[in-house]
Amino acid sequence: MRVPILKQGDYLIASIQSALTDADLVQLRDDLAEMAGRYRARGIIIDVTALDVMDSFAVRTLRAITHILRMRGARTVIVGIQPEVAFAMVQLGLTLGDTMTALDLEEGLALLNRRREPR
Amino acid sequence: MKIKGPTVLVSNESTSALLTELVAHLRQNRTQLREEWARRITESQLLTAMTKEEIFAEATSVYDNYVAVLETGAVEALQAYARDLSERIIPRGVETHEVVGIVLLLRDVLARSLFKKYQSDFALLNRVLDAYEPAANRIANTVAVGFVQERERIIRQQQEAIRELSTPVLQVRERLLILPIIGVIDPQRARQVTEQLLRGIRSNRAKVVVIDITGVPAVDATVANHLVQTVDASRLMGATVIVTGLSAEIAQTLVTIGVDLSKMKTIGDLQGGIEEAERLLGYKVILEATETQGAAKPPTTV
């Protein structure tokens, strides 16, 4: 299933609705990389609330998306990681590196807004 | 080999006849044998937690139970008695080796008296011992197992109690949680702590968490790594973790075993941790101006 990406002001919001295949993730990566440039987005939020499993490919792809979008001039925030998922990730040694994370969509938006203020 | 009850041990009549004779002998010499046994217990410095009178009283009921089991071959009553006895003496600090020790002493005392009685007839003595030994061993076994089971039951009960009180996750300000950890952390508890914290972060919408480990006596590599994992997992949920109360010893241990705490925010004590957390959340604590001099009011959070 293709992940819907919504434009909200300077931000893009990718809201994952169901479990994703590896192909879906790659699609999401390509879509975001392309749209970030087209809409001149300053921030991207990826909502993973619906995911109850996060495998190494998913984590690696999310990390890659963050890096790609940074080069395209946008900050990425991953929001809505569930407690069980978070615990499983650290136990498996899957980390998101320096990717920003927030509790939910609202927090993610607040985080991006705060980041912009000093500029 | 499973030891069967004396009544079904050997189908021949002579064994049960011998046991009957044996029991009669033990009943007859009850006073003397019981005293001999109590004396041996004191001599061996067993049951030091109990007074002489108590030992004698217990010795009497154990002796009677013992003889009753030899007679009937039914251990249920003895099992119940052993459980009851254990319940009474475990809180007084009686050790497993003492309980096993006294039962074995009784076995020896009784065996000695049998030697004395049947010394003239070696063949008969042999048969008497054939009847006596399995039953006596079974009794020793029953008492020891009963004691250990009681002990394990108590340990399980206490573990349960500790687990229930162990991990409060407390909200002290809007979006600020504290998690005081007290006592030794084992892997099971560590897991429980993390799970509760992560659930607490979601339900309280926490942004900052202060984990205070002042009450943790020692930290090893496992626990340290678990702390790191907890911090990482909390960060994945968008919360910042501040660890406070790392003692000098623990700090040294962590450096020595080479745990990477660079990703972790650490502050000396709980007070400092909460102050830093308030700063991160944008709270500002100011001391309210005193109306009358000298009567300072406690600081108020604005």
Side-chain angles (χ1 to χ4, degrees):
Chain A
M1 196 191 93
R2 200 167 175 149
V3 179
I5 298 172
L6 315 171
K7 181 177 168 298
Q8 158 75 44
D10 279 348
Y11 305 141
L12 293 179
I13 300 168
S15 174
I16 297 173
Q17 303 292 334
S18 61
L20 295 182
T21 64
D22 289 357
D24 293 333
L25 279 160
V26 172
Q27 182 72 54
L28 174 66
R29 185 191 67 192
D30 297 347
D31 286 352
L32 280 173
E34 192 267 329
M35 285 172 82
R38 176 147 44 104
Y39 295 113
R40 307 188 66 237
R42 305 295 304 271
I44 317 288
I45 293 175
I46 303 175
D47 187 353
V48 298
T49 312
L51 293 186
D52 44 17
V53 180
M54 209 61 110
D55 62 9
S56 61
F57 185 80
V59 172
R60 194 148 47 88
T61 309
L62 286 177
R63 213 164 44 206
I65 290 176
T66 321
H67 292 159
I68 292 166
L69 292 174
R70 190 176 304 156
M71 286 186 265
R72 302 278 276 160
R75 314 286 294 176
T76 307
V77 187
I78 313 283
V79 304
I81 298 177
Q82 299 298 311
E84 301 77 29
V85 177
F87 194 50
M89 280 172 68
V90 294
Q91 281 204 318
L92 296 172
L94 305 174
T95 56
L96 285 171
D98 51 359
T99 307
M100 290 190 288
T101 47
L103 192 74
D104 52 20
L105 186 57
E106 189 183 343
E107 288 301 314
L109 283 169
L111 186 60
L112 285 175
N113 284 332
R114 225 179 12 256
R115 289 264 157 169
R116 284 181 58 181
E117 274 163 20
R119 284 182 218 163
Chain B
M1 186 187 82
K2 197 177 175 200
I3 305 167
K4 295 254 177 71
T7 45
V8 287
L9 180 68
V10 187
S11 50
N12 72 36
E13 290 300 302
S14 69
T15 306
S16 52
L18 278 173
L19 270 175
T20 317
E21 194 184 324
L22 195 75
V23 168
H25 167 69
L26 297 180
R27 287 250 159 84
Q28 217 165 41
N29 298 298
R30 177 167 178 262
T31 316
Q32 180 218 334
L33 288 173
R34 206 178 45 184
E35 265 160 24
E36 164 74 4
W37 182 35
R39 195 180 57 73
R40 291 277 301 272
I41 291 175
T42 321
E43 221 169 65
S44 322
Q45 308 232 310
L46 293 171
L47 296 182
T48 42
M50 293 163 77
T51 65
K52 246 192 166 136
E53 292 74 30
E54 282 175 318
I55 292 178
F56 193 74
E58 292 296 353
T60 307
S61 40
V62 174
Y63 187 94
D64 292 342
N65 268 293
Y66 200 98
V67 175
V69 174
L70 280 180
E71 188 175 27
T72 62
V75 289
E76 286 75 22
L78 180 68
Q79 267 170 351
Y81 175 74
R83 245 199 320 274
D84 177 56
L85 175 69
S86 312
E87 222 165 88
R88 268 181 292 133
I89 62 178
I90 288 174
R92 321 242 339 228
V94 174
E95 301 284 340
T96 315
H97 77 90
E98 292 183 296
V99 170
V100 177
I102 60 166
V103 177
L104 292 179
L105 270 183
L106 177 59
R107 180 179 178 274
D108 295 348
V109 168
L110 299 188
R112 280 288 169 86
S113 100
L114 293 177
F115 279 126
K116 214 162 136 194
K117 183 168 153 68
Y118 297 109
Q119 60 185 336
S120 52
D121 188 344
F122 186 68
L124 181 59
L125 173 64
N126 249 334
R127 273 185 292 137
V128 168
L129 287 181
D130 278 345
Y132 168 72
E133 278 167 355
N137 286 345
R138 200 155 68 105
I139 293 171
N141 208 347
T142 306
V143 174
V145 168
F147 184 82
V148 171
Q149 276 176 349
E150 175 64 15
R151 207 161 220 200
E152 282 171 356
R153 195 184 62 78
I154 291 176
I155 292 173
R156 265 199 306 277
Q157 211 173 31
Q158 289 174 341
Q159 272 180 340
E160 200 67 34
I162 292 171
R163 208 166 299 138
E164 275 170 21
L165 351 135
S166 65
T167 45
V169 178
L170 311 166
Q171 174 159 338
V172 288
R173 294 254 185 286
E174 198 63 21
R175 330 209 64 182
L176 166 56
L177 295 180
I178 56 173
L179 176 73
I181 303 179
I182 292 174
V184 178
I185 309 177
D186 56 20
Q188 194 195 6
R189 191 174 167 210
R191 203 190 156 82
Q192 194 196 1
V193 167
T194 310
E195 276 172 14
Q196 292 204 357
L197 175 63
L198 295 182
R199 247 178 263 133
I201 288 175
R202 187 171 58 177
S203 57
N204 294 301
R205 297 178 57 80
K207 288 201 80 153
V208 183
V209 179
V210 180
I211 300 180
D212 180 60
I213 59 165
T214 315
V216 179
V219 167
D220 59 13
T222 325
V223 174
N225 279 324
H226 198 275
L227 258 180
V228 176
Q229 284 188 351
T230 307
V231 173
D232 282 348
S234 305
R235 211 183 70 82
L236 287 174
M237 294 190 60
T240 309
V241 176
I242 300 172
V243 180
T244 67
L246 284 154
S247 67
E249 292 80 26
I250 291 180
Q252 285 192 12
T253 320
L254 292 183
V255 173
T256 315
I257 59 184
V259 179
D260 181 19
L261 295 178
S262 55
K263 281 182 290 182
M264 220 187 257
K265 223 185 216 355
T266 52
I267 288 176
D269 56 9
L270 182 59
Q271 181 187 348
I274 290 178
E275 283 166 5
E276 169 70 9
E278 283 170 338
R279 205 184 55 71
L280 286 175
L281 288 169
Y283 286 105
K284 202 171 181 183
V285 180
I286 39 173
L287 190 66
E288 221 175 272
T290 50
E291 286 164 32
T292 50
Q293 271 200 336
K297 283 188 186 167
T300 317
T301 307
V302 180

